[in-house]
Amino acid sequence: MQPARQVSNSKGEHGLSTEHRSRREQRGERRERESAPADHIEHVVKIYRVAKVVKGGRRFSFTAVVVVGDGKGRVGAALGKALEVPDAIRKGIEKAKKTMFQVPIVSTTIPHEVLGRTGAATVLLKPASLGTGIVAGGPVRAVMEAAGYQNVLTKCLGSNNATNVVWAALDGLRQLKTAETFAEMRGLEVAQIL
């Protein structure tokens, strides 16, 4: 009969080996970093499933329409394309952050009425009084919330395709100018314009 071998048990306080514990701690650190409060507002407006027909059948990929803003007057949107939905969303967020631009906010609303157009989609944006809130459908609401507006009236005219509506809303926001900007362009004082 052979003597019983001494098995060294390197298990820690939770019954996990030190190797497993270090892996879990690393994963925990990564999770904390991802769930840290972001300084950007991110909205996934729409996810499309695209089918490419190949010899063996259909090959599916995904396109995500993503809107990103800081809630303080900067907003951007982009399409992310990938074979998996999470990758498409991640790519869209990265691209949208690169395309962000500044928009004017005048006491929680837009400075004047404007029409944004892209393709067959037209979006009407109107200033609203305090307490109105954001009166908008899904795609336009995502853009307005990300930009940081709290009171605005909107209406989608023409096409209601989510992608084109987002681009039309952004086109409208790009056209916005404050009274100060108009005064500067015309070489006048703000009081003369108002």
Side-chain angles (χ1 to χ4, degrees), residues 33-115:
R33 190 173 65 234
E34 286 175 358
S35 66
D39 55 341
H40 289 97
I41 300 164
E42 299 162 356
H43 289 284
V44 177
V45 176
K46 181 108 175 156
I47 295 173
Y48 295 101
R49 189 179 75 167
V50 182
K52 179 184 178 184
V53 180
V54 293
K55 188 169 67 175
R58 293 188 187 98
R59 186 159 294 158
F60 293 107
S61 64
F62 297 91
T63 302
V65 182
V66 182
V67 176
V68 175
D70 64 357
K72 298 171 192 155
R74 282 177 54 78
V75 67
L79 293 176
K81 300 179 181 185
L83 296 175
E84 300 293 332
V85 174
D87 293 337
I89 293 169
R90 181 184 48 77
K91 284 182 183 180
I93 290 169
E94 287 171 8
K95 282 173 71 177
K97 283 180 182 175
K98 292 175 189 170
T99 64
M100 286 173 76
F101 61 95
Q102 193 70 38
V103 293
I105 300 176
V106 178
S107 69
T108 73
T109 190
I110 59 176
H112 56 85
E113 188 175 316
V114 70
L115 266 178

Side-chain angles (χ1 to χ4, degrees), residues 118-153:
T118 299
T122 304
V123 174
L124 170 68
L125 305 174
K126 276 180 148 181
S129 57
L130 286 170
T132 306
I134 299 172
V135 180
V140 183
R141 177 178 291 275
V143 173
M144 294 297 146
E145 284 177 354
Y149 293 109
Q150 292 169 10
N151 301 292
V152 68
L153 299 168

